[in-house]
Amino acid sequence: MSGRLKGKVALVTGGASGIGRATALQFAEEGAAVVVADLNASAGEALVSEIVHGGGRALFISVDVSDEASVQAMVNTTVESFGGLDYAFNNAGIPDGASSLLTSTQSNWDRVMAVNLEGVWHCMRAELDHMLSVSKGAIVNNSSRSGLVGIPSDGVYGAAKHAVIGLTKAAAVEFASRGVRVNAVCPGLVETALTHTRFGENLQNRAAIANPLGRMAQPQEIAQAVVWLCSDAASFVVGVALPVDGGSTAR
Ligand SMILES: NC(=O)c1ccc[n+]([C@@H]2O[C@H](COP(=O)([O-])OP(=O)(O)OC[C@H]3O[C@@H](n4cnc5c(N)ncnc54)[C@H](O)[C@@H]3O)[C@@H](O)[C@H]2O)c1
């Protein structure tokens, strides 16, 4: 452990898998106490055991980010258990169930918006309540490359991810002067359960053309950016939507 974040408390939603899991491990590696918050209790508890056996401090909290009361309870339990909340990564998300706007359904729209957009909104409000009360904190929201550009087949998902950047910027400018920095990351294609579910056997072909590097990211490559954005090394970084995408939005 580097110990750079020793004494800090970090909360990661969707922390049981993929990018969230890698970020929880990275926070723990840097010495922070970590809350892994997720719908998936078995994977979340297993990750907490792994962190604790490695000498870190961690706690699993069951949450559905689309449920405001559940999110408020998550933040309350975090503060009660670890004595505060310094960093939050609002990461929980689901893929778009439709392959085209023409075939997307109302139920697809409702669930994608409820988790990927309202979930971030619920989390930010509960986290900001605490962070503003102590005049310090950093929040990173997980948007996507789909939050920066239009991607065929990602219409509803892309609408939610664009809106996450809007929420991020509005909160960033509203609260920077009160000690809380808010930013977003915009990952390109990352090898996780989500992309395997979404693209199946087409994933490798998609990866080869996804960006100038010609490969997918590993979740740790996104985690490093998130932890950096939370840390004091990014003390003058406010309201950015940072592409971590192998150059795909640059071309
Ligand atoms: N994988 C990619 O290529 C990629 C690219 C850009 C953005 N993202 C975004 O990154 C985030 C994480 O994606 P991932 O690829 O790591 O996916 P993943 O499926 O590996 O992990 C997502 C986690 O979120 C949890 N989750 C889902 N709905 C939830 C809810 N309502 N409440 C609490 N937890 C919930 C799941 O149980 C799971 O553990 C998502 O917001 C996704 O949109 C992923």
Side-chain angles (χ1 to χ4, degrees), residues 52-108:
V52 170
H53 281 114
R57 295 178 73 204
L59 173 72
F60 174 73
I61 298 177
S62 179
V63 72
D64 178 349
V65 296
S66 69
D67 175 357
E68 191 171 11
S70 170
V71 168
Q72 188 60 59
M74 167 187 79
V75 171
N76 292 347
T77 306
T78 300
V79 173
E80 282 159 22
S81 305
F82 287 136
L85 173 61
D86 298 285
Y87 310 132
F89 181 35
N90 299 321
N91 160 76
I94 55 174
D96 201 325
S99 57
S100 163
L101 265 188
L102 299 176
T103 54
S104 60
T105 60
Q106 185 66 48
S107 63
N108 167 240

Short mmCIF file of all heavy atoms in Angstrom, two decimals, residues 52-108:
data_model
loop_
_atom_site.label_atom_id
_atom_site.label_comp_id
_atom_site.label_asym_id
_atom_site.label_seq_id
_atom_site.Cartn_x
_atom_site.Cartn_y
_atom_site.Cartn_z
N VAL A 52 -9.88 -6.81 3.25
CA VAL A 52 -9.56 -6.93 4.69
C VAL A 52 -8.41 -7.92 4.89
O VAL A 52 -7.49 -7.66 5.68
CB VAL A 52 -10.83 -7.34 5.48
CG1 VAL A 52 -10.48 -7.71 6.92
CG2 VAL A 52 -11.85 -6.20 5.44
N HIS A 53 -8.43 -9.04 4.15
CA HIS A 53 -7.32 -10.01 4.28
C HIS A 53 -6.00 -9.41 3.81
O HIS A 53 -4.93 -9.81 4.28
CB HIS A 53 -7.63 -11.30 3.51
CG HIS A 53 -8.56 -12.19 4.26
ND1 HIS A 53 -9.83 -12.48 3.84
CD2 HIS A 53 -8.43 -12.81 5.46
CE1 HIS A 53 -10.44 -13.24 4.73
NE2 HIS A 53 -9.61 -13.45 5.73
N GLY A 54 -6.07 -8.43 2.93
CA GLY A 54 -4.86 -7.75 2.46
C GLY A 54 -4.39 -6.66 3.40
O GLY A 54 -3.46 -5.92 3.08
N GLY A 55 -5.09 -6.49 4.53
CA GLY A 55 -4.67 -5.50 5.53
C GLY A 55 -5.42 -4.18 5.44
O GLY A 55 -5.10 -3.24 6.17
N GLY A 56 -6.44 -4.10 4.55
CA GLY A 56 -7.18 -2.84 4.40
C GLY A 56 -8.44 -2.81 5.26
O GLY A 56 -8.76 -3.77 5.96
N ARG A 57 -9.15 -1.68 5.19
CA ARG A 57 -10.43 -1.53 5.88
C ARG A 57 -11.52 -1.42 4.82
O ARG A 57 -11.41 -0.61 3.89
CB ARG A 57 -10.45 -0.26 6.74
CG ARG A 57 -9.45 -0.29 7.87
CD ARG A 57 -9.50 1.03 8.63
NE ARG A 57 -10.69 1.15 9.44
CZ ARG A 57 -11.25 2.30 9.83
NH1 ARG A 57 -10.74 3.45 9.44
NH2 ARG A 57 -12.31 2.33 10.61
N ALA A 58 -12.56 -2.24 4.96
CA ALA A 58 -13.63 -2.22 3.95
C ALA A 58 -14.93 -2.71 4.55
O ALA A 58 -14.95 -3.44 5.54
CB ALA A 58 -13.24 -3.09 2.75
N LEU A 59 -16.02 -2.29 3.91
CA LEU A 59 -17.37 -2.65 4.37
C LEU A 59 -18.25 -2.80 3.14
O LEU A 59 -18.16 -1.98 2.22
CB LEU A 59 -17.89 -1.50 5.25
CG LEU A 59 -19.34 -1.56 5.72
CD1 LEU A 59 -19.49 -2.64 6.79
CD2 LEU A 59 -19.75 -0.19 6.30
N PHE A 60 -19.10 -3.83 3.14
CA PHE A 60 -20.08 -3.95 2.05
C PHE A 60 -21.41 -3.35 2.50
O PHE A 60 -21.86 -3.60 3.62
CB PHE A 60 -20.31 -5.41 1.65
CG PHE A 60 -21.42 -5.54 0.64
CD1 PHE A 60 -21.22 -5.14 -0.67
CD2 PHE A 60 -22.68 -5.99 1.01
CE1 PHE A 60 -22.26 -5.19 -1.60
CE2 PHE A 60 -23.72 -6.06 0.09
CZ PHE A 60 -23.50 -5.66 -1.22
N ILE A 61 -22.02 -2.57 1.64
CA ILE A 61 -23.38 -2.06 1.89
C ILE A 61 -24.25 -2.41 0.68
O ILE A 61 -23.89 -2.12 -0.46
CB ILE A 61 -23.40 -0.53 2.12
CG1 ILE A 61 -22.58 -0.17 3.37
CG2 ILE A 61 -24.83 -0.03 2.27
CD1 ILE A 61 -22.48 1.33 3.64
N SER A 62 -25.38 -3.04 0.97
CA SER A 62 -26.32 -3.38 -0.09
C SER A 62 -27.09 -2.12 -0.48
O SER A 62 -27.65 -1.44 0.38
CB SER A 62 -27.27 -4.45 0.46
OG SER A 62 -28.20 -4.77 -0.53
N VAL A 63 -27.10 -1.81 -1.77
CA VAL A 63 -27.80 -0.60 -2.22
C VAL A 63 -28.40 -0.83 -3.60
O VAL A 63 -27.86 -1.59 -4.40
CB VAL A 63 -26.84 0.61 -2.27
CG1 VAL A 63 -25.84 0.51 -3.42
CG2 VAL A 63 -27.61 1.93 -2.40
N ASP A 64 -29.54 -0.19 -3.83
CA ASP A 64 -30.06 -0.04 -5.19
C ASP A 64 -30.05 1.46 -5.46
O ASP A 64 -30.84 2.21 -4.87
CB ASP A 64 -31.48 -0.60 -5.30
CG ASP A 64 -32.07 -0.42 -6.69
OD1 ASP A 64 -31.47 0.32 -7.51
OD2 ASP A 64 -33.13 -1.00 -6.97
N VAL A 65 -29.15 1.91 -6.33
CA VAL A 65 -28.99 3.36 -6.51
C VAL A 65 -30.23 4.03 -7.10
O VAL A 65 -30.36 5.26 -7.01
CB VAL A 65 -27.74 3.71 -7.37
CG1 VAL A 65 -26.46 3.28 -6.68
CG2 VAL A 65 -27.84 3.14 -8.78
N SER A 66 -31.12 3.24 -7.68
CA SER A 66 -32.34 3.84 -8.22
C SER A 66 -33.35 4.17 -7.12
O SER A 66 -34.38 4.80 -7.40
CB SER A 66 -32.98 2.92 -9.28
OG SER A 66 -33.50 1.76 -8.66
N ASP A 67 -33.07 3.74 -5.90
CA ASP A 67 -33.97 3.93 -4.76
C ASP A 67 -33.35 4.97 -3.81
O ASP A 67 -32.34 4.71 -3.16
CB ASP A 67 -34.16 2.58 -4.08
CG ASP A 67 -34.99 2.68 -2.81
OD1 ASP A 67 -35.37 3.80 -2.42
OD2 ASP A 67 -35.23 1.62 -2.20
N GLU A 68 -33.98 6.13 -3.76
CA GLU A 68 -33.41 7.25 -3.00
C GLU A 68 -33.18 6.91 -1.52
O GLU A 68 -32.15 7.26 -0.94
CB GLU A 68 -34.33 8.47 -3.13
CG GLU A 68 -33.71 9.74 -2.61
CD GLU A 68 -34.52 10.98 -2.93
OE1 GLU A 68 -35.69 10.85 -3.38
OE2 GLU A 68 -33.98 12.08 -2.73
N ALA A 69 -34.14 6.20 -0.91
CA ALA A 69 -34.01 5.87 0.52
C ALA A 69 -32.83 4.94 0.75
O ALA A 69 -32.09 5.05 1.74
CB ALA A 69 -35.31 5.23 1.02
N SER A 70 -32.65 4.00 -0.17
CA SER A 70 -31.54 3.05 -0.08
C SER A 70 -30.20 3.79 -0.18
O SER A 70 -29.24 3.50 0.54
CB SER A 70 -31.71 2.02 -1.22
OG SER A 70 -30.62 1.21 -1.39
N VAL A 71 -30.15 4.79 -1.05
CA VAL A 71 -28.91 5.58 -1.23
C VAL A 71 -28.63 6.42 0.02
O VAL A 71 -27.49 6.49 0.48
CB VAL A 71 -29.04 6.47 -2.48
CG1 VAL A 71 -27.93 7.50 -2.53
CG2 VAL A 71 -29.03 5.61 -3.74
N GLN A 72 -29.67 7.03 0.58
CA GLN A 72 -29.46 7.83 1.80
C GLN A 72 -28.94 6.94 2.94
O GLN A 72 -28.03 7.32 3.68
CB GLN A 72 -30.78 8.51 2.20
CG GLN A 72 -30.63 9.52 3.34
CD GLN A 72 -29.67 10.68 3.01
OE1 GLN A 72 -29.89 11.40 2.05
NE2 GLN A 72 -28.59 10.82 3.78
N ALA A 73 -29.52 5.73 3.04
CA ALA A 73 -29.07 4.79 4.08
C ALA A 73 -27.61 4.40 3.85
O ALA A 73 -26.83 4.26 4.80
CB ALA A 73 -29.97 3.56 4.08
N MET A 74 -27.22 4.23 2.60
CA MET A 74 -25.82 3.89 2.26
C MET A 74 -24.86 4.97 2.76
O MET A 74 -23.83 4.66 3.38
CB MET A 74 -25.71 3.74 0.73
CG MET A 74 -24.30 3.67 0.18
SD MET A 74 -24.29 3.72 -1.64
CE MET A 74 -24.54 5.46 -1.96
N VAL A 75 -25.21 6.21 2.51
CA VAL A 75 -24.31 7.30 2.94
C VAL A 75 -24.31 7.41 4.48
O VAL A 75 -23.26 7.56 5.10
CB VAL A 75 -24.71 8.63 2.26
CG1 VAL A 75 -23.94 9.80 2.86
CG2 VAL A 75 -24.44 8.53 0.76
N ASN A 76 -25.49 7.28 5.09
CA ASN A 76 -25.55 7.34 6.56
C ASN A 76 -24.68 6.25 7.18
O ASN A 76 -23.92 6.50 8.12
CB ASN A 76 -26.99 7.17 7.05
CG ASN A 76 -27.88 8.35 6.68
OD1 ASN A 76 -27.37 9.40 6.28
ND2 ASN A 76 -29.17 8.18 6.80
N THR A 77 -24.80 5.03 6.65
CA THR A 77 -24.04 3.90 7.22
C THR A 77 -22.54 4.11 7.00
O THR A 77 -21.72 3.78 7.88
CB THR A 77 -24.49 2.57 6.57
OG1 THR A 77 -25.89 2.45 6.72
CG2 THR A 77 -23.80 1.37 7.19
N THR A 78 -22.17 4.66 5.86
CA THR A 78 -20.75 4.94 5.59
C THR A 78 -20.18 5.89 6.64
O THR A 78 -19.13 5.63 7.25
CB THR A 78 -20.59 5.57 4.19
OG1 THR A 78 -21.08 4.66 3.21
CG2 THR A 78 -19.13 5.92 3.89
N VAL A 79 -20.90 6.98 6.87
CA VAL A 79 -20.42 8.01 7.81
C VAL A 79 -20.39 7.44 9.23
O VAL A 79 -19.43 7.64 9.98
CB VAL A 79 -21.29 9.28 7.70
CG1 VAL A 79 -20.92 10.28 8.78
CG2 VAL A 79 -21.14 9.90 6.32
N GLU A 80 -21.43 6.69 9.60
CA GLU A 80 -21.47 6.10 10.96
C GLU A 80 -20.35 5.08 11.15
O GLU A 80 -19.72 5.02 12.20
CB GLU A 80 -22.81 5.39 11.18
CG GLU A 80 -23.96 6.33 11.48
CD GLU A 80 -25.32 5.69 11.19
OE1 GLU A 80 -25.41 4.43 11.17
OE2 GLU A 80 -26.26 6.46 10.96
N SER A 81 -20.07 4.30 10.11
CA SER A 81 -19.10 3.20 10.26
C SER A 81 -17.66 3.68 10.22
O SER A 81 -16.81 3.17 10.96
CB SER A 81 -19.29 2.17 9.14
OG SER A 81 -20.61 1.72 9.12
N PHE A 82 -17.36 4.64 9.35
CA PHE A 82 -15.96 5.04 9.16
C PHE A 82 -15.69 6.49 9.59
O PHE A 82 -14.59 7.00 9.41
CB PHE A 82 -15.54 4.85 7.70
CG PHE A 82 -15.34 3.40 7.30
CD1 PHE A 82 -15.83 2.92 6.09
CD2 PHE A 82 -14.63 2.53 8.12
CE1 PHE A 82 -15.62 1.60 5.71
CE2 PHE A 82 -14.43 1.21 7.75
CZ PHE A 82 -14.93 0.73 6.55
N GLY A 83 -16.73 7.16 10.09
CA GLY A 83 -16.51 8.50 10.65
C GLY A 83 -16.46 9.62 9.63
O GLY A 83 -16.09 10.75 9.96
N GLY A 84 -16.84 9.35 8.39
CA GLY A 84 -16.85 10.42 7.39
C GLY A 84 -17.00 9.86 5.99
O GLY A 84 -17.22 8.65 5.80
N LEU A 85 -16.89 10.75 5.02
CA LEU A 85 -16.92 10.36 3.61
C LEU A 85 -16.11 11.40 2.83
O LEU A 85 -16.53 12.56 2.74
CB LEU A 85 -18.36 10.32 3.07
CG LEU A 85 -18.49 10.09 1.56
CD1 LEU A 85 -17.89 8.76 1.13
CD2 LEU A 85 -19.97 10.16 1.15
N ASP A 86 -14.94 10.99 2.34
CA ASP A 86 -14.07 11.93 1.62
C ASP A 86 -14.24 11.85 0.10
O ASP A 86 -14.20 12.88 -0.58
CB ASP A 86 -12.60 11.63 1.96
CG ASP A 86 -12.34 11.82 3.45
OD1 ASP A 86 -12.26 12.99 3.87
OD2 ASP A 86 -12.26 10.80 4.17
N TYR A 87 -14.39 10.61 -0.41
CA TYR A 87 -14.44 10.42 -1.86
C TYR A 87 -15.61 9.52 -2.23
O TYR A 87 -15.86 8.52 -1.54
CB TYR A 87 -13.16 9.72 -2.36
CG TYR A 87 -11.88 10.34 -1.87
CD1 TYR A 87 -10.87 9.55 -1.33
CD2 TYR A 87 -11.66 11.72 -1.95
CE1 TYR A 87 -9.68 10.10 -0.88
CE2 TYR A 87 -10.48 12.28 -1.51
CZ TYR A 87 -9.49 11.47 -0.97
OH TYR A 87 -8.33 12.03 -0.52
N ALA A 88 -16.29 9.85 -3.32
CA ALA A 88 -17.36 8.98 -3.80
C ALA A 88 -17.20 8.78 -5.30
O ALA A 88 -17.00 9.75 -6.04
CB ALA A 88 -18.71 9.60 -3.50
N PHE A 89 -17.28 7.53 -5.71
CA PHE A 89 -17.28 7.19 -7.14
C PHE A 89 -18.66 6.64 -7.46
O PHE A 89 -19.01 5.52 -7.06
CB PHE A 89 -16.18 6.17 -7.43
CG PHE A 89 -16.08 5.75 -8.89
CD1 PHE A 89 -16.32 6.65 -9.92
CD2 PHE A 89 -15.71 4.46 -9.22
CE1 PHE A 89 -16.21 6.28 -11.26
CE2 PHE A 89 -15.59 4.07 -10.56
CZ PHE A 89 -15.84 4.97 -11.57
N ASN A 90 -19.46 7.45 -8.15
CA ASN A 90 -20.83 7.06 -8.52
C ASN A 90 -20.76 6.33 -9.87
O ASN A 90 -20.79 6.94 -10.93
CB ASN A 90 -21.72 8.29 -8.56
CG ASN A 90 -21.79 8.95 -7.21
OD1 ASN A 90 -21.85 8.26 -6.19
ND2 ASN A 90 -21.76 10.27 -7.17
N ASN A 91 -20.69 5.02 -9.76
CA ASN A 91 -20.27 4.18 -10.89
C ASN A 91 -21.33 3.17 -11.31
O ASN A 91 -21.33 2.74 -12.46
CB ASN A 91 -18.98 3.47 -10.46
CG ASN A 91 -18.67 2.25 -11.27
OD1 ASN A 91 -18.22 2.36 -12.42
ND2 ASN A 91 -18.92 1.06 -10.71
N ALA A 92 -22.25 2.80 -10.41
CA ALA A 92 -23.21 1.73 -10.74
C ALA A 92 -23.92 2.07 -12.04
O ALA A 92 -24.38 3.20 -12.24
CB ALA A 92 -24.22 1.57 -9.61
N GLY A 93 -24.01 1.10 -12.92
CA GLY A 93 -24.69 1.34 -14.19
C GLY A 93 -25.02 0.04 -14.89
O GLY A 93 -24.48 -1.02 -14.55
N ILE A 94 -25.93 0.15 -15.85
CA ILE A 94 -26.37 -1.02 -16.61
C ILE A 94 -26.30 -0.68 -18.10
O ILE A 94 -26.38 0.49 -18.48
CB ILE A 94 -27.81 -1.45 -16.23
CG1 ILE A 94 -28.79 -0.26 -16.39
CG2 ILE A 94 -27.85 -1.99 -14.82
CD1 ILE A 94 -30.24 -0.64 -16.17
N PRO A 95 -26.16 -1.71 -18.95
CA PRO A 95 -26.13 -1.44 -20.39
C PRO A 95 -27.52 -1.14 -20.94
O PRO A 95 -28.52 -1.41 -20.29
CB PRO A 95 -25.58 -2.74 -20.98
CG PRO A 95 -25.90 -3.79 -19.98
CD PRO A 95 -25.96 -3.12 -18.63
N ASP A 96 -27.52 -0.60 -22.13
CA ASP A 96 -28.76 -0.37 -22.87
C ASP A 96 -29.27 -1.74 -23.34
O ASP A 96 -28.51 -2.51 -23.90
CB ASP A 96 -28.43 0.51 -24.08
CG ASP A 96 -29.65 1.23 -24.62
OD1 ASP A 96 -30.74 0.63 -24.58
OD2 ASP A 96 -29.50 2.36 -25.08
N GLY A 97 -30.54 -2.00 -23.13
CA GLY A 97 -31.06 -3.30 -23.55
C GLY A 97 -31.43 -3.35 -25.02
O GLY A 97 -31.67 -4.43 -25.57
N ALA A 98 -31.45 -2.21 -25.71
CA ALA A 98 -31.92 -2.20 -27.10
C ALA A 98 -30.75 -2.01 -28.06
O ALA A 98 -29.75 -1.39 -27.71
CB ALA A 98 -32.91 -1.06 -27.29
N SER A 99 -30.89 -2.53 -29.28
CA SER A 99 -29.80 -2.37 -30.24
C SER A 99 -30.02 -1.15 -31.14
O SER A 99 -29.16 -0.78 -31.92
CB SER A 99 -29.68 -3.63 -31.10
OG SER A 99 -30.91 -3.86 -31.73
N SER A 100 -31.16 -0.50 -31.01
CA SER A 100 -31.46 0.69 -31.81
C SER A 100 -32.51 1.51 -31.07
O SER A 100 -33.35 0.96 -30.34
CB SER A 100 -32.01 0.29 -33.18
OG SER A 100 -32.65 1.38 -33.79
N LEU A 101 -32.49 2.83 -31.30
CA LEU A 101 -33.56 3.68 -30.76
C LEU A 101 -34.93 3.20 -31.23
O LEU A 101 -35.92 3.33 -30.53
CB LEU A 101 -33.36 5.11 -31.24
CG LEU A 101 -32.63 6.08 -30.35
CD1 LEU A 101 -32.73 7.49 -30.92
CD2 LEU A 101 -33.17 6.07 -28.92
N LEU A 102 -34.95 2.62 -32.45
CA LEU A 102 -36.22 2.19 -33.02
C LEU A 102 -36.83 1.02 -32.27
O LEU A 102 -38.03 0.81 -32.31
CB LEU A 102 -36.02 1.81 -34.49
CG LEU A 102 -35.52 2.94 -35.40
CD1 LEU A 102 -35.27 2.42 -36.81
CD2 LEU A 102 -36.53 4.09 -35.42
N THR A 103 -35.99 0.24 -31.60
CA THR A 103 -36.51 -0.93 -30.88
C THR A 103 -36.46 -0.75 -29.37
O THR A 103 -36.84 -1.65 -28.63
CB THR A 103 -35.71 -2.20 -31.26
OG1 THR A 103 -34.31 -1.93 -31.05
CG2 THR A 103 -35.95 -2.60 -32.70
N SER A 104 -35.99 0.41 -28.90
CA SER A 104 -35.96 0.61 -27.45
C SER A 104 -37.39 0.77 -26.94
O SER A 104 -38.25 1.31 -27.63
CB SER A 104 -35.09 1.80 -27.08
OG SER A 104 -35.60 2.97 -27.67
N THR A 105 -37.60 0.27 -25.74
CA THR A 105 -38.96 0.28 -25.18
C THR A 105 -39.04 1.24 -24.01
O THR A 105 -38.02 1.67 -23.47
CB THR A 105 -39.30 -1.13 -24.66
OG1 THR A 105 -38.35 -1.46 -23.64
CG2 THR A 105 -39.25 -2.18 -25.76
N GLN A 106 -40.27 1.50 -23.58
CA GLN A 106 -40.45 2.38 -22.42
C GLN A 106 -39.78 1.78 -21.18
O GLN A 106 -39.15 2.49 -20.39
CB GLN A 106 -41.96 2.58 -22.16
CG GLN A 106 -42.25 3.57 -21.04
CD GLN A 106 -41.82 4.99 -21.39
OE1 GLN A 106 -42.14 5.49 -22.47
NE2 GLN A 106 -41.09 5.64 -20.49
N SER A 107 -39.89 0.45 -21.02
CA SER A 107 -39.31 -0.15 -19.80
C SER A 107 -37.78 -0.09 -19.86
O SER A 107 -37.12 0.13 -18.83
CB SER A 107 -39.80 -1.59 -19.60
OG SER A 107 -39.37 -2.39 -20.65
N ASN A 108 -37.21 -0.22 -21.07
CA ASN A 108 -35.77 -0.05 -21.25
C ASN A 108 -35.35 1.37 -20.84
O ASN A 108 -34.41 1.58 -20.06
CB ASN A 108 -35.43 -0.36 -22.71
CG ASN A 108 -34.04 0.06 -23.12
OD1 ASN A 108 -33.88 0.86 -24.01
ND2 ASN A 108 -33.03 -0.48 -22.48
#
